Amino acid sequence: MTEYWSGNESMNQELWRRGDNYVVIGNSWNGGTSLLAAPSITDIKQLAGQTVGIMNPAFNIEALLQKKLASVGMATASAGGTVNIEMASPGFVMNDLLAMKNSAVFAWGMYATTMQKRGYHELISWKDMGYGADVPYQVLVVRRDIAEKHPEIVQKVVQLNYDATKLALAGDDWQAPTAARYEYYWSHFMGSPGRAMAPASLVKLDAQASPVFLHGVIDYMTKSGYFKVPYTYDDLVDDSFYAKVKK
C-alpha cells in the first residue's frame, strides 16, 4: 500500500523524483518532534546564522520551524533567512552535533533521550511551533496509481484504521489505541498477529489529513523551491477516502 522512506540513498532519490506519483490520504494521530538545543541556547533568536539538524528528510518539520521563526521575524535559509537546515540520517546529525556543527536538533526516540542526558534541553515543544496540537505524527501516503485503480483496497485500510482506533479508545487508555489498532489491522487484514507500538500522543479517531497544516507545508515547500513544479493542495491530498468512512 505505502512506500516508506528507505535507508538506501539512491532509492530515496528515486522516490523523491517520483513524488508526483503519490497522494496523501490522511494521518493516524497527533504528535511531533520537539527542538532540542545546547544549554547555551535559551532563545530561538540565538539560532540566527546557526544550523539546525533534522533527523531524516522531513520537510514538514522544516515548515514547522519556519512558521515559528516567522513569528519572531526570522526565516530558514530556504525562505531567505539565516537559519541553516541539515537533513540527514540520525547518525550523521548526531556526529555533526558532537562536532558542534549543529546548535539545535529535532531529535526523537533514543536520540532525544541521549541528548537530554548530556544537557540538551527542549527549546521549543512541537505544540508551540504554530499549529498547536493538530500536527500529524504519521501520514498515510499511497501510490496514486493504486488509489486510482484499486480504491476499494485503500478504502478498506482506512476503514480498518478507523474501526481499530475506535475500539481501542473505548478502553479509556491513551496508550492502548495504537497497540489495539495494530493487532486489529494485522489480524483482520494481514491474517497474522501484530506488534504494539506506543503512540506519541492521543490517537485521533477521525484521521483526515489536517488541511491547515498541509496547506502550510505545501506553501512553504513551493516558495522555497523544493517542488520542481508547483503543486496545489488538491494535487497532493485526497480527502475522499475518509469522507466515506462508515462510523
Side-chain angles (χ1 to χ4, degrees):
M1 277 304 302
T2 60
E3 293 196 36
Y4 298 95
W5 199 259
S6 165
N8 184 297
E9 187 57 34
S10 62
M11 185 179 295
N12 290 344
Q13 293 175 359
E14 177 61 22
L15 286 173
W16 186 246
R17 283 195 294 270
R18 289 159 41 202
D20 60 346
N21 291 332
Y22 294 81
V23 61
V24 176
I25 300 298
N27 54 269
S28 56
W29 63 73
N30 289 336
T33 304
S34 297
L35 181 62
L36 302 180
S40 60
I41 297 179
T42 58
D43 190 287
I44 190 175
K45 293 183 179 181
Q46 291 176 263
L47 296 179
Q50 303 298 310
T51 298
V52 174
I54 298 177
M55 292 186 174
N56 297 329
F59 296 96
N60 61 314
I61 293 181
E62 184 176 341
L64 279 174
L65 177 61
Q66 167 58 23
K67 189 170 183 65
K68 184 63 178 180
L69 290 171
S71 70
V72 294
M74 299 172 64
T76 64
S78 297
T82 63
V83 180
N84 299 305
I85 302 296
E86 177 194 51
M87 288 192 197
S89 66
F92 282 109
V93 170
M94 292 295 282
N95 285 337
D96 283 349
L97 188 68
L98 293 174
M100 302 184 72
K101 295 181 180 180
N102 295 332
S103 298
V105 176
F106 283 94
W108 40 264
M110 63 179 183
Y111 304 104
T113 301
T114 299
M115 290 176 62
Q116 289 172 323
K117 288 181 178 178
R118 296 190 177 187
Y120 281 76
H121 67 105
E122 185 179 83
L123 181 64
I124 309 171
S125 167
W126 66 270
K127 295 180 181 179
D128 298 326
M129 290 290 175
Y131 289 98
D134 195 21
V135 177
Y137 186 76
Q138 277 196 347
V139 177
L140 175 64
V141 179
V142 179
R143 268 178 33 199
R144 192 178 297 274
D145 62 329
I146 292 178
E148 293 175 349
K149 296 176 182 178
H150 303 286
E152 73 285 355
I153 296 178
V154 179
Q155 192 67 56
K156 185 170 184 178
V157 172
V158 171
Q159 186 67 54
L160 284 170
N161 181 79
Y162 177 90
D163 293 343
T165 303
K166 184 176 181 180
L167 178 66
L169 287 174
D172 196 28
D173 180 354
W174 75 272
Q175 287 190 334
T178 302
R181 181 150 49 85
Y182 271 76
E183 291 291 342
Y184 186 98
Y185 174 83
W186 285 104
S187 62
H188 286 71
F189 191 67
M190 302 298 289
S192 61
R195 296 184 64 183
M197 294 178 63
S201 186
L202 191 64
V203 171
K204 188 176 182 181
L205 183 59
D206 290 314
Q208 294 93 337
S210 170
V212 174
F213 175 76
L214 288 177
H215 270 295
V217 172
I218 293 169
D219 181 62
Y220 170 75
M221 292 182 70
T222 300
K223 290 180 179 178
S224 299
Y226 285 117
F227 290 129
K228 292 181 180 179
V229 295
Y231 290 99
T232 66
Y233 178 85
D234 291 335
D235 289 332
L236 297 175
V237 181
D238 188 342
D239 295 318
S240 66
F241 292 98
Y242 271 99
K244 298 175 184 175
V245 167
K246 297 178 181 179
K247 301 180 180 180

